[in-house]
Amino acid sequence: MTRLCFSIALLFVVAPAYSRDDLLQLMNALRVSECPQHLRSDQPFNGNSKLNQAARYVNDGRSMQEALRRADYRADQSAVIHATRGDNPAAFKRLLAKGYCATLTDPRLVEIGIATNRDEVALIFAAPFAPPAPGDATKVEREALRLVNEARAKARSCGGKRFAAVGPLTLNDTLHVAAVTHAKDMAAHGQVEHEGSDGSSPDERATRAGYRWQSVGENIAGGQLTAQEVVAGWIASPHHCANIMDPDYTQMAVAYVINTKQKIGIFWAQEFGRPR
């Protein structure tokens, strides 16, 4: 299961000759108080200098993806409004409120870049790529365990298969070695696959790590930035959900590895097992 960054390219609109501060104030007014109540966010946009640079590249004719790359800003999600200049602030505001509130109030988009020139305005909205720090691995794994056991405590359907509630899992250090090994391998090659770059399978990697098993299984993912996101994604996927709910497993481990040179950026491996 892979979660990739997405972007939304919005149509050209007519923007008045606002300054950058004016535009930031307008975007935050719409975001917090002037878009429809059910869409509003309580978190205003934060300006970002790299996004300002990216917005300048957009005004120079670059695509948003290229602009972000040139500005050295890695976005988890992003959107852009590219507007031509005009002289009617009220009309511009009404147009944004009518057509773009879903983007302007998206709680995931927390940073903004603004650039203006004589003819154009570019506004880039983004969620920064902010993975957990490598030093948080133990905390993240424990949170994943908590969420998995919370899921296992309730009966559920995984696709078309019904699972009864089942007992909790415990963490296992040897399975963690296998999880780290595979997460590193996926990160090095930029692929979210169960087969290792050496052709290995999950059971072979568990055996190499020294885990003496009756049964083993594996979930993998790419792109999620928190334990909550990755576990929610696994539960939403029938095959991964079935692994989580499998009563045959008694132990698990979760590991993630970050490689910002790869498009996905963060790679996750979850190993399951029942020891002999």
Side-chain angles (χ1 to χ4, degrees):
M1 182 191 64
T2 305
R3 175 185 167 203
L4 298 178
C5 305
F6 76 87
S7 63
I8 306 170
L10 301 177
L11 299 176
F12 277 76
V13 295
V14 178
Y18 285 127
S19 69
R20 179 180 291 161
D21 288 343
D22 289 336
L23 285 165
L24 178 58
Q25 184 176 357
L26 173 61
M27 297 306 114
N28 278 331
L30 288 164
R31 180 175 175 85
V32 174
S33 63
E34 297 187 29
C35 278
Q37 183 72 41
H38 68 282
L39 290 175
R40 291 178 189 170
S41 170
D42 59 1
Q43 180 181 11
F45 289 116
N46 295 313
N48 182 280
S49 59
K50 287 187 176 181
L51 283 179
N52 289 341
Q53 180 63 55
R56 287 193 285 272
Y57 287 131
V58 168
N59 277 340
D60 290 340
R62 308 287 182 181
S63 69
M64 182 173 62
Q65 290 77 12
E66 183 179 359
L68 292 171
R69 180 181 60 79
R70 284 174 172 264
D72 192 30
Y73 184 98
R74 186 176 183 116
D76 183 49
Q77 299 169 43
S78 55
V80 61
I81 296 175
H82 194 188
T84 55
R85 289 281 198 176
D87 58 2
N88 190 331
F92 179 55
K93 186 174 181 179
R94 285 195 301 270
L95 183 62
L96 290 173
K98 182 178 180 180
Y100 303 119
C101 273
T103 296
L104 294 174
T105 61
D106 189 331
R108 298 167 297 182
L109 303 174
V110 297
E111 295 187 333
I112 187 172
I114 301 169
T116 64
N117 60 28
R118 185 178 63 182
D119 301 314
E120 298 170 306
V121 173
L123 307 167
I124 295 183
F125 311 90
F129 178 74
D136 290 337
T138 298
K139 181 172 67 174
V140 171
E141 184 178 43
R142 288 174 179 168
E143 177 63 5
L145 175 69
R146 183 188 71 79
L147 294 167
V148 165
N149 283 338
E150 185 178 272
R152 284 170 65 92
K154 300 175 183 177
R156 69 183 63 244
S157 291
C158 299
K161 186 174 181 180
R162 186 70 179 171
F163 287 85
V166 65
L169 303 176
T170 59
L171 294 178
N172 179 271
D173 290 342
T174 308
L175 283 176
H176 184 77
V177 172
V180 170
T181 297
H182 193 49
K184 285 182 176 179
D185 187 42
M186 290 190 294
H189 294 87
Q191 296 181 337
V192 181
E193 301 285 350
H194 288 289
E195 182 176 332
S197 62
D198 60 355
S200 62
S201 61
D203 58 331
E204 289 172 331
R205 291 189 292 272
T207 299
R208 289 178 191 173
Y211 189 74
R212 295 174 58 82
W213 51 271
Q214 295 184 47
S215 59
V216 291
E218 181 179 78
N219 285 345
I220 53 177
Q224 294 80 4
L225 299 180
T226 66
Q228 290 83 356
E229 286 186 5
V230 75
V231 174
W234 283 329
I235 292 171
S237 168
H239 173 73
H240 299 92
C241 173
N243 278 341
I244 286 174
M245 296 301 297
D246 194 329
D248 197 37
Y249 299 137
T250 61
Q251 298 176 328
M252 64 161 269
V254 170
Y256 59 89
V257 173
I258 300 159
N259 185 350
T260 57
K261 295 181 179 180
Q262 301 289 0
K263 183 176 181 180
I264 295 173
I266 180 171
F267 299 78
W268 297 80
Q270 179 182 33
E271 309 301 327
F272 299 93
R274 174 185 286 270
R276 290 181 185 174

